[in-house]
Amino acid sequence: MTFDYRNGVLCAEQTPLDDIAQRFGTPCYVYSRAAVEAAYREFIDALAGRDARVCYSVKANSNLAILALLARLGAGFDIVSGGELARVLAAGGDASKTLFSGVGKSEAEIQFALERGIGCINVESEAELERIARIAKRLGQRAPIALRVNPDIDARTHPYISTGLRETKFGVAYADAERLYRHAAGLRELDIVGIGCHVGSLLNDPAPFVAAAQRLGELVDRLQAAGIALRHIDVGGGIGIRYKDETMQPITAFVRGALSALGNRGQQVVFDPGRSLVGNAGVLVTRIEYVKFGEARNFLVVDAAMNDLIRPPLYGAWHDVRTVRKTEAGPAPAVYDVVGPVCESADFLAKERQLSAREGDLLAIMSAGAYGMVMSSNYNSRPRAAEVLVDGTAAHLVRRRECVAELFAAEQIPVRQSRSSRD
Ligand SMILES: *Cc1c(COP(=O)(O)O)cnc(C)c1O
């Protein structure tokens, strides 16, 4: 296991988390290189013998060290902004193996992507199709595109992360796709390379994922008959991880299901997983500032907060909480809410957990490798946490902790202030 107790101390691989906290301070995100690699290899092994590619969804965790690690393993990338493309390039990723998704790509972002040789732009509307054609013409280029098609499948998941339904802002309608492909085929500036979809996040059952792949396959055949040949089919991401005790189908089940739904069609098959590659490869280490016994509830007030990890208040997400040191002679266990210093009632990391802990002890918030640091903010003028990548017994600082001066370095007070309030 990646995060396990050794001599009573929770470790990332072979590195004790209390050593990391000592060296780099808290709160601190800690990632395991081996865990990221193992998850990536699970995809690659299940895809053996097939023309396929795994494009890591950068938004799940965009630290350069994570991107560089995946680039070295051969991964492509799935991005949703010009900023993410800049990160991929800075990390040594290959633009030609990168897909650009998202409903709101700006002119500048599209131009940047085309100039850098993006592999494919996943188009989400007719208006975007026109915009890309216009920019490509100006640049004297042909833009590689795919349509992100909305397969209208209910991922039976949380409504905020269910993106394959008709009501969401994502993708073009399934019924509209063929017409748009024909339209695109008439635009010389566009090079139609593929088709994509993404049914939603946190899937624990391959059924909706496989159903979407099936629907894409049917559309690909119809396009083929109409003379529009595609080179790749992107079946999306969204494969869940175990946070608590959910029954989870392994990555292999999703991959095999999608491959068999696509049968022996000749296109390259693309997967764009985010969470399933990094989610269980990271923890958030935090120190207990105060133990507070209240009238109705008891609290462990820790030095991490909702600005560091917003998933619990935003989605009602459950993260396991473990004490970094397992002590037999510790204080009597009690039931606590684990809360941060931010001035919001929504500032909690976990509720009603039985823990044996005292002031100064370290806690690990588990399964925090995806949608953790990337969604962090500076709310309450809190500098963002440090990030550390562990490789065996080595711990590498991959993002230093912010300092307070940086938080307002971009701000300025107008030189000529209005005098009215003082007159
Ligand atoms: C967010 C996203 C993903 C990754 O989702 P996960 O649940 O992290 O696997 C993949 N593709 C697209 C288009 C996305 O927007």
Side-chain angles (χ1 to χ4, degrees):
M1 280 295 285
T2 310
F3 296 98
D4 249 333
Y5 289 94
R6 291 165 182 259
N7 307 317
V9 182
L10 191 59
C11 294
E13 301 186 24
Q14 283 81 255
T15 306
L17 291 178
D18 55 0
D19 285 356
I20 292 176
Q22 193 72 37
R23 257 180 85 189
F24 302 110
T26 55
C28 176
Y29 276 97
V30 181
Y31 311 122
S32 155
R33 192 205 59 81
V36 176
E37 179 165 350
Y40 181 76
R41 294 224 180 277
E42 205 175 328
F43 275 95
I44 295 306
D45 292 348
L47 290 166
R50 182 82 183 220
D51 178 15
R53 173 168 292 161
V54 176
C55 290
Y56 169 60
S57 180
V58 170
K59 72 178 192 279
N61 183 329
S62 58
N63 185 286
L64 293 191
I66 299 286
L67 302 183
L69 163 59
L70 285 162
R72 277 199 303 276
L73 292 171
F77 296 94
D78 180 62
I79 56 160
V80 294
S81 71
E84 286 190 350
L85 177 55
R87 279 183 175 275
V88 166
L89 298 173
D94 186 343
S96 73
K97 292 202 271 181
T98 301
L99 315 172
F100 191 178
S101 307
V103 291
K105 304 175 195 81
S106 70
E107 298 244 359
E109 286 177 317
I110 291 166
Q111 178 166 339
F112 177 53
L114 291 175
E115 285 170 345
R116 294 306 146 103
I118 193 86
C120 180
I121 302 181
N122 287 339
V123 180
E124 305 223 11
S125 65
E126 187 164 0
E128 186 189 338
L129 207 57
E130 308 294 345
R131 179 180 284 191
I132 294 168
R134 214 166 48 237
I135 296 168
K137 186 171 187 177
R138 194 172 70 222
L139 297 175
Q141 262 181 262
R142 289 190 81 208
I145 61 123
L147 288 189
R148 173 169 172 181
V149 175
N150 189 335
D152 200 20
I153 283 163
D154 185 356
R156 278 170 267 138
T157 175
H158 195 287
Y160 286 7
I161 43 181
S162 172
T163 53
L165 273 173
R166 207 175 292 170
E167 295 79 19
T168 70
K169 66 177 179 180
F170 298 103
V172 301
Y174 191 83
D176 240 9
E178 193 171 335
R179 179 183 66 80
L180 288 173
Y181 268 108
R182 286 171 188 270
H183 177 55
L187 297 171
R188 250 186 338 113
E189 300 80 18
L190 300 182
D191 179 18
I192 300 174
V193 297
I195 190 166
C197 75
H198 176 66
V199 289
S201 206
L202 267 178
L203 306 173
N204 54 12
D205 173 356
F209 189 78
V210 173
Q214 173 107 34
R215 294 211 80 193
L216 284 199
E218 290 158 12
L219 187 52
V220 167
D221 294 346
R222 257 186 285 139
L223 293 170
Q224 184 109 22
I228 298 171
L230 304 184
R231 304 204 282 274
H232 80 245
I233 303 177
D234 173 1
V235 296
I239 299 165
I241 59 167
R242 180 174 287 128
Y243 282 98
K244 192 179 184 182
D245 49 9
E246 306 91 335
T247 40
M248 271 304 309
Q249 294 284 324
I251 288 169
T252 312
F254 287 81
V255 173
R256 294 228 176 100
L259 292 185
S260 74
L262 292 173
N264 51 14
R265 290 184 178 88
Q267 286 81 11
Q268 179 180 64
V269 184
V270 178
F271 292 79
D272 36 60
R275 189 190 318 266
S276 52
L277 289 179
V278 294
N280 274 328
V283 301
L284 173 60
V285 179
T286 182
R287 196 177 290 281
I288 299 171
E289 294 280 10
Y290 298 100
V291 180
K292 180 171 173 177
F293 293 98
E295 255 177 88
R297 282 170 177 272
N298 303 321
F299 299 96
L300 296 176
V301 183
V302 299
D303 63 3
M306 66 187 289
N307 74 294
D308 299 300
L309 180 67
I310 203 172
R311 297 190 70 257
L314 185 59
Y315 305 120
W318 193 97
H319 286 263
D320 194 15
V321 178
R322 298 195 203 164
T323 50
V324 167
R325 277 186 177 277
K326 241 192 214 163
T327 44
E328 268 120 61
V335 174
Y336 296 101
D337 286 359
V338 179
V339 302
V342 164
C343 294
E344 298 280 344
S345 301
D347 182 26
F348 65 91
L349 298 170
K351 287 195 168 169
E352 295 180 27
R353 302 302 170 82
Q354 171 117 347
L355 290 161
S356 163
R358 58 164 71 94
E359 188 178 315
D361 284 356
L362 293 167
L363 300 178
I365 315 296
M366 307 303 291
S367 310
Y371 305 106
M373 185 66 181
V374 285
M375 294 180 98
S376 66
S377 76
N378 294 119
Y379 188 41
N380 279 206
S381 287
R382 290 169 48 81
R384 273 175 295 182
E387 291 177 287
V388 171
L389 181 64
V390 166
D391 186 0
T393 55
H396 306 281
L397 184 65
V398 293
R399 189 185 206 272
R400 63 165 173 79
R401 184 177 309 287
E402 281 176 337
C403 64
V404 168
E406 286 174 281
L407 302 188
F408 50 82
E411 298 171 28
Q412 45 188 328
I413 299 165
V415 181
R416 296 213 301 151
Q417 297 267 37
S418 162
R419 293 165 54 208
S420 57
S421 57
R422 239 183 265 163
D423 286 351

